[in-house]
Amino acid sequence: MLVLLPPSEGKAASGRGAPLKPESLALPGLASARAAVLDELVELCTADTEKAREVLGLSEGLRGEIAKNVELRTAGTRPAGEIYTGVLYDALDLASLDAAAGRRAGKSLLVFSGLWGAVRVGDRIPSYRCSMGVKLPGLGPLGAYWRDPMAEAMPEAAGDGLVLDLRSSAYTAAWKPKGEVAERTASVRVLHSQLVDGVEKRSVVSHFNKATKGRMVRDLLLAGARPKGPAELVGTLRELGYAVEAEAPARAGRAWSLDVVVTEVH
């Protein structure tokens, strides 16, 4: 099983470990594309902080984030699973997984990134600021920039098992599974259900969406679940206590769509 995650907008500080070693990152086929983004991002943030703030979409209060990008090549690193923070990663709580579940996380979780394309949670990276929605002056929109490199790298990363796609829309732009890979891909939407004047209303609420996805991945890892495809995933999630509504694709070569319905997040 390969689980595709979005990164977090906010990130923990860079660690005290050795500086970035690009050759150590997973998906080595992305190396040249990563180098191009890294070069332009560092140059942009070094040369003109005001332009960098505009390009990165940062408020005045987040101007300090630009300094992170200036030091990307020399800053300390820590595992990506520690760099990414926020609601989803708090619910996933990688640090508290037992040893077996932690090993499964290292093999199955892939975090998409505007800067790196995608990394494993064990890859050592510095803290940075560069979302997939950024349009770098020399490379253009990063979602479009990553499509060709990711199209080359992702089929091998996906292997022959289930692909559980939990990415946000900005990050799905970088890679959309096709053909046989798509047929064993399940994308998940979390719906918050509540009664309003006696009538059930469902909506997508950011907190419920992120927290439930993090908790769901954690539960799958702890259970040692290895569903072979979307239909088996539905059964596994229901056994784990999730209310799941599934929609098989109408045509071949399309991904499954799963709705996980929640009333509250524990």
Side-chain angles (χ1 to χ4, degrees):
M1 177 174 66
L2 181 68
V3 182
L4 310 182
L5 297 175
S8 59
E9 196 70 21
K11 299 172 183 67
S14 295
R16 296 182 179 180
L20 175 70
K21 296 179 180 178
E23 69 277 6
S24 71
L25 300 181
L27 280 64
L30 300 178
S32 61
R34 287 170 175 151
V37 179
L38 179 62
D39 287 346
E40 180 162 354
L41 185 60
V42 171
E43 181 179 352
L44 170 68
C45 293
T46 302
D48 188 336
T49 57
E50 189 57 37
K51 182 177 181 181
R53 188 171 72 84
E54 180 180 341
V55 169
L56 297 175
L58 300 176
S59 66
E60 180 64 36
L62 292 174
R63 182 182 290 274
E65 294 287 288
I66 297 170
K68 288 183 179 180
N69 294 341
V70 173
E71 300 174 354
L72 281 171
R73 294 192 181 93
T74 58
T77 59
R78 60 201 303 179
E82 297 178 12
I83 289 288
Y84 297 118
T85 60
V87 175
L88 187 154
Y89 291 91
D90 285 347
L92 176 54
D93 196 7
L94 289 168
S96 70
L97 292 175
D98 60 44
R103 287 192 294 271
R104 288 190 282 269
K107 293 178 180 178
S108 63
L109 306 188
L110 195 65
V111 185
F112 271 59
S113 162
L115 174 53
W116 313 115
V119 293
R120 300 283 186 185
V121 291
D123 286 349
R124 298 191 68 91
I125 59 174
S127 188
Y128 68 95
R129 190 70 176 229
C130 184
S131 71
M132 193 66 79
V134 164
K135 181 179 180 180
L136 289 176
L139 299 178
L142 290 176
Y145 169 81
W146 280 111
R147 283 175 196 157
D148 287 345
M150 297 300 284
E152 292 289 328
M154 282 303 298
E156 180 179 355
D160 58 3
L162 169 73
V163 178
L164 175 55
D165 191 353
L166 303 180
R167 297 173 295 165
S168 53
S169 58
Y171 291 87
T172 60
W175 181 67
K176 295 182 180 179
K178 296 180 180 180
E180 183 270 336
V181 178
E183 291 176 1
R184 48 188 168 86
T185 296
S187 61
V188 174
R189 179 177 64 167
V190 177
L191 297 177
H192 176 218
S193 172
Q194 57 182 333
L195 290 177
V196 179
D197 296 329
V199 178
E200 183 192 26
K201 300 290 184 181
R202 293 181 175 182
S203 59
V204 177
V205 180
S206 179
H207 174 79
F208 284 85
N209 178 57
K210 294 175 181 177
T212 301
K213 286 179 177 178
R215 184 163 57 91
M216 182 173 63
V217 174
R218 179 181 177 83
D219 288 345
L220 288 168
L221 292 171
L222 288 171
R226 301 181 65 181
K228 296 179 180 179
E232 189 172 332
L233 172 66
V234 172
T236 299
L237 289 174
R238 287 173 177 166
E239 289 174 1
L240 290 172
Y242 291 89
V244 182
E245 298 175 357
E247 182 180 342
R251 298 188 305 182
R254 299 291 181 90
W256 283 56
S257 297
L258 275 58
D259 284 343
V260 175
V261 183
V262 299
T263 56
E264 59 182 338
V265 175
H266 300 287

